[in-house]
Amino acid sequence: MKAKLKGAQNGHNLLKRKSEALTRRFREIVKKIEDSKRKMGKIMQVASFSLAEVSYATGDISFQVRESVSTAQLRVRAKSENVSGVQLPNFEYYIDGQNAFELTGLGRGGQQVQKCKETYIGAAKVLIELASLQTAFVVLDEVIRLTNRRVNAIEHVTIPKYENTIAYIISELDEQDREEFFRLKMIQKKKNQGKENEENQKIIETGELKRKFMFLI
């Protein structure tokens, strides 16, 4: 039982340290999310203004974009990061393929189109980073709550249960020791009384023999 109590205490300490590490990472992610959201708001304003410039300079180019681009150049891949035994998803972007508008700039509004594209690429990168942080936020929030429930259960239920059991066992053993001591004491007392009775009986018998002997004389 003491080994179980020791194991519960060790488990409680490990889970508590894990919860503290996850909480620190959680706070860091919250701060990064706030920064990314502010950054996202600013960059989307710039991107919207850049798109308005393109529309003013060249008109509607959405059909041309759809015709020129067959696959996405900016792609996303998912990885995982281990934080205190918890796998956090991490999204990162990479460029795949050639620029579909590498010759843009020779015609009308080319500079505005390139600027708009670069601005939206930057917005997409910030959006990918924000999605990675938001996903990690959700995962960490659930893991921290589960870990804290386990810590509280061990601290307020398991450990007190083992401590009460150990205290009860010690109390019962002490009671048995007291009963055994009392039993041995009573046995010793009875033995002593038996010896006293035997000695008294011998004295009585010796006195009777002396009286008989005196009577015969």
Side-chain angles (χ1 to χ4, degrees):
M1 188 58 66
K2 288 184 177 179
K4 290 183 178 180
L5 176 60
K6 186 66 175 177
Q9 291 172 342
N10 291 336
H12 174 266
N13 293 332
L14 290 174
L15 286 175
K16 194 169 184 180
R17 286 198 295 269
K18 177 181 178 180
S19 176
E20 292 172 353
L22 294 176
T23 302
R24 284 195 300 268
R25 185 57 183 273
F26 183 80
R27 291 172 180 169
E28 293 175 359
I29 289 176
V30 169
K31 187 176 183 302
K32 289 181 179 179
I33 288 175
E34 293 176 354
D35 296 339
S36 296
K37 285 184 176 180
R38 284 193 294 266
K39 186 178 179 181
M40 190 69 192
K42 294 178 180 179
I43 199 171
M44 286 306 297
Q45 289 179 356
V46 175
S48 298
F49 183 74
S50 179
L51 181 60
E53 287 182 340
V54 171
S55 299
Y56 177 77
T58 63
D60 186 10
I61 63 171
S62 58
F63 179 77
Q64 182 183 357
V65 172
R66 288 193 297 269
E67 287 293 326
S68 302
V69 179
S70 57
T71 58
Q73 184 182 6
L74 184 65
R75 295 178 177 270
V76 180
R77 57 178 165 230
K79 292 185 176 181
S80 61
E81 180 183 4
N82 191 331
V83 179
S84 298
V86 180
Q87 296 295 327
L88 297 180
N90 185 21
F91 304 129
E92 63 178 19
Y93 62 86
Y94 65 99
I95 305 298
D96 184 21
Q98 296 180 350
N99 186 0
F101 291 92
E102 59 185 356
L103 299 179
T104 303
L106 301 178
R108 182 167 56 94
Q111 291 182 351
Q112 285 81 2
V113 172
Q114 286 291 349
K115 180 181 177 182
C116 182
K117 177 185 176 183
E118 292 173 359
T119 304
Y120 271 95
I121 287 177
K125 291 177 180 179
V126 175
L127 184 62
I128 292 168
E129 179 183 358
L130 183 59
S132 179
L133 292 172
Q134 291 278 26
T135 306
F137 173 87
V138 173
V139 173
L140 274 180
D141 182 58
E142 181 64 27
V143 173
I144 288 173
R145 282 189 293 169
L146 179 62
T147 303
N148 288 338
R149 283 199 297 267
R150 290 177 177 174
V151 170
N152 292 332
I154 293 176
E155 182 177 356
H156 299 291
V157 178
T158 305
I159 291 178
K161 178 181 177 181
Y162 288 152
E163 289 176 343
N164 292 335
T165 303
I166 291 173
Y168 173 76
I169 293 173
I170 292 174
S171 175
E172 288 295 318
L173 292 175
D174 291 341
E175 183 66 23
Q176 289 181 2
D177 291 340
R178 286 192 294 269
E179 292 178 355
E180 182 67 16
F181 176 76
F182 180 76
R183 187 180 68 83
L184 293 175
K185 189 175 180 180
M186 292 300 295
I187 291 173
Q188 186 65 32
K189 184 178 180 180
K190 288 182 178 180
K191 287 182 177 180
N192 293 334
Q193 288 179 351
K195 289 181 180 180
E196 290 179 359
N197 293 333
E198 290 178 358
E199 291 177 356
N200 292 332
Q201 185 66 28
K202 288 181 179 179
I203 292 172
I204 293 171
E205 292 177 353
T206 304
E208 290 179 352
L209 290 174
K210 286 182 179 181
R211 285 196 299 272
K212 288 181 180 179
F213 180 75
M214 295 294 295
F215 177 75
L216 292 173
I217 294 173

